[in-house]
């Protein structure tokens, strides 16, 4: 059942975080739904601009609607990930999305406020909630100094002002994470001091953590052992930090890269072990099973596992 993102946030706030998983195809959808039902977790499906154009956005929507009928007990929201203004407006008008993200974080503060507010105004007319972003992710490279890194982080005082001026429903904060398979080096990690101060200024307001993949070293090693050439030694987010982040108001934890690593490992190992094989179904089957296990495991770490019935009762009570 598709439910409003805001309802899921209300149930999760301060207790656990919802896994927000990106999907591009039916194999990811099948693994995601199975993993969330197996772990009894509510969840968020994210669709990026790139995912919408990978095949055809109607295909992805049809996959999600069909998965909803295959798993009638699933409880989830559908979210546009990293939307620009045009895509966000399109998704709002489509009637399919529970929430959209407007990512105008590359604009200066005033421009970001103006763009985000236009999207919020359009979305709220139709009861859709909006995630906006303040701060810059992705500054965490080896060559970036600590002062440069801190300059990219969300300024808590600005966050308070930004939420007041835009009326957005959740905020993606830059707290030290970055997208992709190469994240932290050395002792870098989540800036809990920044997170704590944002929560102090915005009590009860849902925060979002992007770039939350953990980039498991064993996945990277297995991919490379099967012919891949990923840089080893790069660290992602420490999964033990998901729950402490949730307690500080992070309701949504975005995970995409780790799922792509599972896909890559399964397919590389399959064809390395069976070079005579050319069929897509055997590795596809293995991937769906492995991705389902991965999702269930992440939900345990996020604290969303076992929350399905409570979240459903809350959703029905607020409907
Ligand atoms: O943050 C970006 C997400 O991982 C989506 O990636 O734009 O390649 O679909 P994508
Ligand atoms: P990762 O690249 O860490 O999976 O982050 C995904 C994300 O933030 C999607 O918006
Ligand atoms: Zn992101």
């Amino acid at each position: 059942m598709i439910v409003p993102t805001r309802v899921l946030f209300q149930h999760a706030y301060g207790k656990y975080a919802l896994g927000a998983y990106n999907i591009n195809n039916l194999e990811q959808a099948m693994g995601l739904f199975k993993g969330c039902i197996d772990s009894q977790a509510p969840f968020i499906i994210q669709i990026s601009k790139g995912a919408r154009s990978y095949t055809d956005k109607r295909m992805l929507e049809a996959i999600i609607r069909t998965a909803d009928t295959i798993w009638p007990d699933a409880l989830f929201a559908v979210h546009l990930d990293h939307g620009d203004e045009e895509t966000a407006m399109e998704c709002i008008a489509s009637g399919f999305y529970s929430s959209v993200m407007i990512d105008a974080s590359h604009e200066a503060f005033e421009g970001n406020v103006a763009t985000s507010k236009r999207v919020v105004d359009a979305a709220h007319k139709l009861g859709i909630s909006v995630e906006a972003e303040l701060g810059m992710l992705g500054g965490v490279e080896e060559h970036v100094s600590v002062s440069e890194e801190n300059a990219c982080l969300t300024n808590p005082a600005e966050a308070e002002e930004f939420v007041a001026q835009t009326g957005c429903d959740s905020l993606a904060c830059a707290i030290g994470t970055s997208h992709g398979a190469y994240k932290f080096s050395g002792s870098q990690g989540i800036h809990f001091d920044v997170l704590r101060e944002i929560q102090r200024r915005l009590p009860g307001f849902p925060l979002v953590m992007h770039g939350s993949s953990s980039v498991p070293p064993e996945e990277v090693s297995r991919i490379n052992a099967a012919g891949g050439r990923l840089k080893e030694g790069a660290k992602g987010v420490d999964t033990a930090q998901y729950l402490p982040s949730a307690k500080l108001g992070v309701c949504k934890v975005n995970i995409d890269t780790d799922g792509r690593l599972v896909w890559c490992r399964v397919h590389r190992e399959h064809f390395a072990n069976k070079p005579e094989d050319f069929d897509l179904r055997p590795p596809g089957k293995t991937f769906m099973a492995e991705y389902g296990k991965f999702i269930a495991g992440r939900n345990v770490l996020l604290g969303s596992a076992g929350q399905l019935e409570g979240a459903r009762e809350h959703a029905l009570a607020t409907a």
Side-chain angles (χ1 to χ4, degrees):
M1 180 166 71
I2 300 179
V3 292
T5 307
R6 119 180 59 84
V7 170
L8 294 182
F9 284 170
Q10 285 161 0
H11 190 254
Y13 189 89
K15 299 195 295 277
Y16 64 92
L18 293 139
Y21 303 104
N22 292 66
I23 69 161
N24 296 268
N25 63 13
L26 80 89
E27 286 83 0
Q28 284 180 305
M30 295 297 280
L32 174 57
F33 276 77
K34 170 123 183 20
C36 288
I37 287 299
D38 284 353
S39 57
Q40 291 287 288
F43 61 104
I44 296 174
I45 297 181
Q46 305 208 113
I47 303 176
S48 72
K49 198 177 165 192
R52 279 164 61 81
S53 58
Y54 170 54
T55 51
D56 182 305
K57 52 186 181 287
R58 290 168 297 183
M59 185 65 81
L60 257 190
E61 293 180 12
I63 287 171
I64 293 169
R65 287 189 211 280
T66 304
D68 194 20
T69 64
I70 297 172
W71 283 279
D73 290 341
L75 194 79
F76 62 100
V78 181
H79 178 78
L80 168 69
D81 188 29
H82 291 285
D84 53 25
E85 186 170 355
E86 188 189 346
T87 312
M89 294 298 193
E90 214 182 280
C91 291
I92 291 165
S94 79
F96 182 65
Y97 289 75
S98 322
S99 50
V100 296
M101 175 183 188
I102 171 66
D103 182 356
S105 58
H106 49 280
E107 295 187 40
F109 186 84
E110 293 73 21
N112 190 352
V113 166
T115 306
S116 301
K117 187 161 182 355
R118 283 195 295 277
V119 172
V120 168
D121 290 345
H124 284 185
K125 280 190 193 129
L126 296 174
I128 294 165
S129 44
V130 177
E131 173 185 329
E133 176 166 333
L134 184 67
M136 296 267 282
L137 272 86
V140 193
E141 301 286 337
E142 227 147 335
H143 62 273
V144 173
S145 70
V146 174
S147 57
E148 280 175 306
E149 188 197 331
N150 283 341
C152 299
L153 301 179
T154 303
N155 176 319
E158 280 186 3
E160 191 179 356
E161 194 55 40
F162 184 84
V163 169
Q165 288 190 29
T166 59
C168 66
D169 305 277
S170 61
L171 186 68
C173 304
I175 48 173
T177 64
S178 62
H179 292 114
Y182 309 116
K183 298 184 192 291
F184 304 127
S185 59
S187 59
Q188 291 165 320
I190 294 174
H191 289 254
F192 281 104
D193 50 339
V194 176
L195 197 51
R196 210 169 282 114
E197 180 59 12
I198 296 172
Q199 193 199 33
R200 192 187 70 75
R201 288 172 176 270
L202 293 166
F205 188 81
L207 305 175
V208 178
M209 185 158 80
H210 282 249
S212 310
S213 280
S214 69
V215 193
E218 62 277 16
E219 289 290 1
V220 175
S221 302
R222 283 176 70 174
I223 287 169
N224 287 347
R229 280 209 203 140
L230 300 184
K231 195 166 92 182
E232 305 225 21
K235 280 194 300 173
V237 172
D238 178 353
T239 57
Q241 298 191 331
Y242 289 156
L243 262 181
S245 305
K247 305 269 172 344
L248 293 172
V250 172
C251 293
K252 174 171 176 277
V253 165
N254 288 10
I255 299 173
D256 184 8
T257 295
D258 282 351
R260 296 182 190 209
L261 292 176
V262 174
W263 183 93
C264 183
R265 182 253 298 166
V266 165
H267 287 80
R268 279 204 177 275
E269 286 186 347
H270 179 85
F271 290 109
N273 294 335
K274 296 196 173 162
E276 71 288 359
D277 214 349
F278 57 88
D279 189 359
L280 75 165
R281 287 194 300 240
K285 277 259 180 212
T286 307
F287 170 71
M288 288 185 270
E290 288 290 295
Y291 191 52
K293 276 193 267 172
F294 162 77
I295 293 285
R298 282 294 179 268
N299 291 340
V300 170
L301 295 163
L302 293 164
S304 62
Q307 298 287 347
L308 180 60
E309 286 320 312
R312 191 193 316 286
E313 276 167 30
H314 177 70
L316 294 174
T318 53

